[in-house]
Amino acid sequence: MCYSQAISGDNMRSKLACLAIFFLATFAAAQQPAAPAAHHGHAVRPAQSPDKIWSDLMDGNKRFIAGKLKSRAVVSVRESLTKSQHPNATVLSCSDSRVPPELVFDQTLGDLFVVRAAGNIAAPLGLASMEYAFDHLGSTVLVVLGHTKCGAVTAAASGEKMPTPNLQAMVDQIGPAVEKVKGSATGDALIEAAIKENVHQSAMDVLAHSEVLRHAKEQGKLTVIEAEYQLDTGEVVRLDKAAQ
Ligand SMILES: [Zn+2]
């Protein structure tokens, strides 16, 4: 009924109303809690500890560094995931084309819930995705992944005014991380220190601006890992205190 109105009527308002109903219905469907995979005839993935999830990612990174990616039956993996997904880990990473999380951790379909933004910043829409991954998909590990030679952090460290308001908003969010390390380094060392500090700042931003994720971490239900990808070697290095 709504559809026929939309295609036969010239009333733009009714078309917009139909679109709104469509999106609301789609959104509502997406909000349904993820049903256990067994309901769809698949085996339930056993709950894994954060340490195991991270060590699996590190094993994948070792394969990636060596250029020996695991061979997988992608078609059957794809078919097994048509009705549900249960990614163990969420990754907040930079959009940089050289740092695709699925590749650098040698993971496949259904393994990672990925949120990407230049400078791996935790902006509101990204936070929504991270909350969804934790709350509805059962992702219990959040990896904030920065990388060496990050252009977004370099732009923020330059102090130059950005050509658009959107780009300015991005560097403004990275700015406090640059300020924090400014007194202790200069030149390339300043950029490298700011990149690490920006990873930490993004992790803190997630917890500061998402009540859901903050409570989850406080209750031990969510583990937040800070890490940096090395462009030259392919290695992911853990930065947060738990790794030291
Ligand atoms: Zn970057």
Side-chain angles (χ1 to χ4, degrees):
M1 178 175 65
C2 187
Y3 176 70
S4 62
Q5 277 173 7
I7 56 169
S8 63
D10 289 331
N11 186 328
M12 182 57 75
R13 209 159 41 169
S14 75
K15 286 180 184 176
L16 288 174
C18 288
L19 270 177
I21 289 166
F22 171 76
F23 282 116
L24 281 172
T26 306
F27 184 72
Q31 293 304 301
Q32 296 302 314
H39 289 186
H40 301 297
H42 303 293
V44 174
R45 184 187 281 191
Q48 294 183 334
S49 73
D51 286 346
K52 168 80 170 109
I53 292 168
W54 177 246
S55 74
D56 283 351
L57 293 179
M58 286 293 88
D59 287 346
N61 182 237
K62 287 193 188 96
R63 293 192 298 273
F64 173 75
I65 293 167
K68 293 177 178 166
L69 302 182
K70 193 191 271 185
S71 88
R72 295 174 167 99
V74 176
V75 172
S76 69
V77 174
R78 185 177 71 221
E79 287 171 355
S80 75
L81 289 164
T82 51
K83 295 204 170 103
S84 65
Q85 58 166 328
H86 304 281
N88 282 326
T90 299
V91 182
L92 168 61
S93 77
C94 185
S95 301
D96 194 296
S97 64
R98 299 164 294 181
V99 195
E102 292 89 345
L103 260 179
V104 305
F105 289 119
D106 187 23
Q107 301 296 297
T108 188
L109 303 174
D111 287 339
L112 299 178
F113 196 89
V114 177
V115 179
R116 300 184 72 173
N120 41 272
I121 56 175
L125 290 175
L127 287 171
S129 297
M130 288 178 253
E131 289 179 355
Y132 180 81
F134 169 77
D135 227 19
H136 294 266
L137 304 179
S139 176
T140 56
V141 169
L142 169 63
V143 181
V144 180
L145 182 65
H147 66 98
T148 54
K149 300 182 173 64
C150 181
V153 177
T154 304
S158 75
E160 288 172 19
K161 189 174 171 2
M162 292 294 110
T164 74
N166 293 320
L167 282 167
Q168 190 62 46
M170 177 195 75
V171 296
D172 285 349
Q173 185 148 345
I174 298 170
V178 176
E179 286 302 316
K180 213 164 179 182
V181 298
K182 235 175 189 171
S184 58
T186 56
D188 288 348
L190 169 66
I191 305 287
E192 290 308 307
I195 286 167
K196 290 179 173 64
E197 185 60 36
N198 183 54
V199 170
H200 180 61
Q201 180 178 283
S202 288
M204 294 302 102
D205 283 346
V206 168
L207 302 177
H209 301 299
S210 168
E211 202 176 332
V212 168
L213 299 174
R214 182 170 64 252
H215 284 168
K217 181 165 187 300
E218 286 167 358
Q219 292 169 354
K221 294 176 180 169
L222 176 71
T223 299
V224 180
I225 291 172
E226 300 168 19
E228 184 190 54
Y229 174 78
Q230 316 296 304
L231 277 189
D232 50 354
T233 63
E235 185 183 8
V236 173
V237 176
R238 190 164 174 176
L239 302 175
D240 58 273
K241 288 196 174 65
Q244 293 158 10

